[in-house]
Amino acid sequence: MKKVSTLILASPFPQSSSEKIARQLEKSLSTDWTFEEIDLSTLPANDLLLRTKTPSEKFNHSVKQIMDSDLIIIATPTYRATYTGLLKVFFDLLPQDCLKGKTSMLIQTGGSPDHFLSIEMGLVPLVRSLGSNIISQTIYSSPSDWDKSGEISIELSSKISSASIEIQKQI
Ligand SMILES: Cc1cc2nc3c(=O)[nH]c(=O)nc-3n(C[C@H](O)[C@H](O)[C@H](O)COP(=O)(O)O)c2cc1C
């Protein structure tokens, strides 16, 4: 049976740099995987802001996707020195321990390299609070990791390949 990877897109913008890194990582995983995605910016605000007692079908489906996954890839930009508020409100709504027995791969992009430690200080504790294992090779990227045409640099590509090898050894 194929393993399931779910990509959580936490940027409010389409075709974000964090998504590009995640897509390259997905491509580098073997054919043993099927790929799902949750684009948080498309979930109803009424669900995310707890304005309803009855969550929408779309929101419930996104929680089920998480429950059915072996690997969760989280791709977020850095906003105000940590992951986005969009990711926080979504995680606030997930059931306790729902990531137990699952593994998360963390990807964060920033406008500067200065906030690279915020993966360790922010994203890692967030994901661990729901019981997830974490791939030790996290990826933080800033503009110097991209070439002039907006493509991923060789150095960043090699970090992605290395994380992919670790994922496939662990799961
Ligand atoms: C509201 C807002 C806050 C931001 N705060 C930070 C920050 O604290 N540190 C940083 O390095 N970049 C910051 N940035 C820049 C983004 O992290 C950067 O542009 C990132 O690459 C965007 O990723 P994306 O293309 O995946 O959306 C901020 C951008 C926005 C819009």
Side-chain angles (χ1 to χ4, degrees), residues 8-140:
I8 300 181
L9 294 168
S11 174
F13 300 111
Q15 288 159 4
S16 66
S17 55
S18 43
E19 176 173 358
K20 280 188 190 161
I21 295 171
R23 296 295 181 203
Q24 181 153 327
L25 177 68
E26 286 181 335
K27 273 195 200 136
S28 73
L29 291 171
S30 71
T31 49
D32 299 345
W33 291 81
T34 55
F35 298 102
E36 299 276 332
E37 81 171 53
I38 302 169
D39 181 348
L40 297 182
S41 69
T42 67
L43 293 181
N46 278 348
D47 292 322
L48 294 174
L49 298 176
L50 273 176
R51 287 189 191 130
T52 171
K53 284 191 183 132
T54 324
S56 66
E57 224 169 87
K58 187 164 183 172
F59 180 81
N60 286 337
H61 177 66
S62 70
V63 176
K64 187 172 180 315
Q65 281 176 293
I66 302 254
M67 301 300 224
D68 293 345
S69 300
D70 302 291
L71 173 70
I72 315 288
I73 302 173
I74 298 177
T76 180
T78 307
Y79 278 9
R80 307 287 177 247
T82 189
Y83 50 82
T84 59
L86 197 50
L87 185 62
K88 179 69 164 73
V89 289
F90 182 66
F91 264 63
D92 287 352
L93 297 168
L94 292 177
Q96 192 63 41
D97 292 334
C98 74
L99 298 185
K100 239 184 191 160
K102 304 185 188 302
T103 300
S104 297
M105 169 68 211
L106 309 181
I107 298 168
Q108 190 172 320
T109 53
S112 90
D114 297 350
H115 286 138
F116 78 98
L117 274 179
S118 66
I119 288 203
E120 294 298 325
M121 307 299 284
L123 205 44
V124 166
L126 176 81
V127 171
R128 276 212 202 289
S129 74
L130 295 183
S132 183
N133 301 316
I134 297 174
I135 294 296
S136 65
Q137 299 183 63
T138 59
I139 294 178
Y140 183 93

